[in-house]
């Protein structure tokens, strides 16, 4: 421990590192760029999965299976954190429009329920079904639980997403110059090399914790 260092100093340093990451993250409205692949439960002829990301208004994905067993699975690129996920409804035929959907996320063999959304009967637009995720989820699965008017299959015009890249902050001693620390009074006056070494230790601890957390918390 650096001389005179306390838990409050670690909290302040953690806040400083978080703020640096937030400033450097790049946000974008995208789907294709941040999804490695999309799988679906089924698809009708000429209404395949590719239409979910073609950004056209005259195409759609349509399922071809049993009611209550329709799903769309998004395999996310490594390090992507979803901030908003929308369904683009294809509302020409009412009983093909989803009424209730559930979103699950995590690793494929350990998907956890994130949210269930009841879609307003008067909605024929982009419907936000997930927002403000804090960590990377390798898989997102959208399950169509029910369609309007007890519809048999579902149609979606597309999927839209706003997401950010999760990445490790590249640490160096120059980050901790006095001009950068004016909003962090506990860090002012501490040698930049001391702050750098402590920041490296915190980052290593986070990596180790992340690597074992799924064993500790089922």
């Amino acid at each position: 421990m650096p001389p005179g260092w306390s838990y409050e100093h670690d909290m302040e340093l953690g806040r400083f590192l978080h703020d640096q990451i937030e400033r450097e993250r790049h946000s974008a409205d995208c789907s294709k760029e941040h999804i490695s692949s999309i799988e679906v439960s089924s698809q009708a002829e000429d209404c395949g999965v590719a239409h979910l990301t073609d950004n056209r208004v005259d195409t759609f994905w349509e399922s071809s299976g049993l009611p209550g067993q329709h799903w769309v699975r998004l395999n996310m690129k490594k390090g992507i954190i979803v901030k908003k996920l929308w369904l683009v409804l294809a509302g020409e035929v009412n009983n093909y429009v989803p009424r209730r959907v559930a979103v699950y996320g995590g690793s494929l063999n350990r998907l956890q329920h994130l949210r269930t959304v009841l879609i307003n009967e008067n909605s024929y637009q982009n419907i936000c079904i997930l927002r403000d995720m804090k960590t990377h989820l390798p898989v997102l699965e959208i399950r169509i639980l029910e369609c309007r008017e007890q519809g048999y299959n579902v149609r979606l015009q597309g999927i839209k997403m706003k997401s950010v890249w999760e990445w490790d902050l590249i640490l160096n001693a120059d980050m901790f110059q006095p001009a950068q620390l004016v909003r962090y009074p506990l860090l002012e006056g501490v040698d930049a090399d001391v702050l750098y070494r402590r920041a490296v230790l915190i980052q290593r601890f986070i990596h180790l914790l992340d690597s074992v957390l799924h064993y500790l918390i089922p």
Side-chain angles (χ1 to χ4, degrees):
M1 295 282 287
W5 196 264
S6 67
Y7 172 75
E8 286 73 22
H9 286 82
D10 276 332
M11 291 291 289
E12 188 105 311
L13 181 55
R15 185 168 64 88
F16 171 81
L17 296 174
H18 174 270
D19 292 345
Q20 295 297 311
I21 291 173
E22 287 300 309
R23 275 197 290 268
E24 296 296 331
R25 276 178 170 168
H26 174 66
S27 178
D29 290 315
C30 59
S31 294
K32 290 183 178 180
E33 292 85 349
H34 287 181
I35 298 174
S36 60
S37 65
I38 303 179
E39 302 170 68
V40 291
S41 53
S42 60
Q43 59 187 30
E45 188 176 358
D46 298 326
C47 300
V49 63
H51 295 314
L52 289 172
T53 53
D54 63 7
N55 293 318
R56 292 175 56 178
V57 298
D58 59 336
T59 63
F60 50 81
W61 163 70
E62 180 182 323
S63 65
S64 178
L66 297 176
Q69 297 185 18
H70 310 312
W71 49 262
V72 176
R73 183 179 298 148
L74 310 178
N75 299 300
M76 307 303 299
K77 291 184 179 180
K78 187 176 180 180
I80 293 299
I81 300 177
V82 174
K83 307 312 288 184
K84 284 189 177 182
L85 176 64
W86 294 273
L87 295 183
V88 184
L89 303 183
E92 293 83 359
V93 183
N94 203 44
N95 63 348
Y96 280 84
V97 178
R99 180 179 182 272
R100 190 163 56 96
V101 302
V103 186
Y104 288 74
S107 57
L108 184 57
N109 59 346
R110 297 184 63 180
L111 292 176
Q112 296 185 356
H113 177 259
L114 302 175
R115 192 182 182 206
T116 296
V117 179
L118 183 64
I119 299 175
N120 189 291
E121 294 290 338
N122 297 318
S123 295
Y124 291 97
Q125 55 185 352
N126 297 354
I127 303 298
C128 184
I129 59 171
L130 190 67
R131 65 177 70 236
D132 296 331
M133 294 294 98
K134 303 302 182 185
T135 59
H136 167 68
L137 298 170
V139 176
L140 287 173
E141 189 167 285
I142 305 162
R143 301 179 184 177
I144 314 299
L145 304 179
E146 183 184 352
C147 288
R148 294 178 186 174
E149 300 177 2
Q150 300 181 335
Y152 202 85
N153 280 299
V154 64
R155 289 177 181 173
L156 292 176
Q157 184 178 306
I159 289 174
K160 291 186 177 180
M161 179 183 300
K162 184 175 183 179
S163 49
V164 297
W165 290 101
E166 178 186 57
W167 61 287
D168 293 329
L169 187 64
I170 300 174
L171 298 174
N172 59 76
D174 292 339
M175 311 175 49
F176 303 100
Q177 298 306 311
Q180 304 295 325
L181 303 175
V182 292
R183 294 175 51 231
Y184 311 90
L186 290 179
L187 305 184
E188 289 185 296
V190 180
D191 185 79
D193 287 333
V194 171
L195 292 176
Y196 166 72
R197 289 195 295 271
R198 191 69 181 172
V200 169
L201 182 63
I202 289 174
Q203 193 175 69
R204 287 176 178 171
F205 171 75
I206 291 171
H207 289 169
L208 286 171
L209 182 62
D210 283 346
S211 70
V212 300
L213 197 59
H214 61 285
Y215 296 111
L216 303 176
I217 304 175

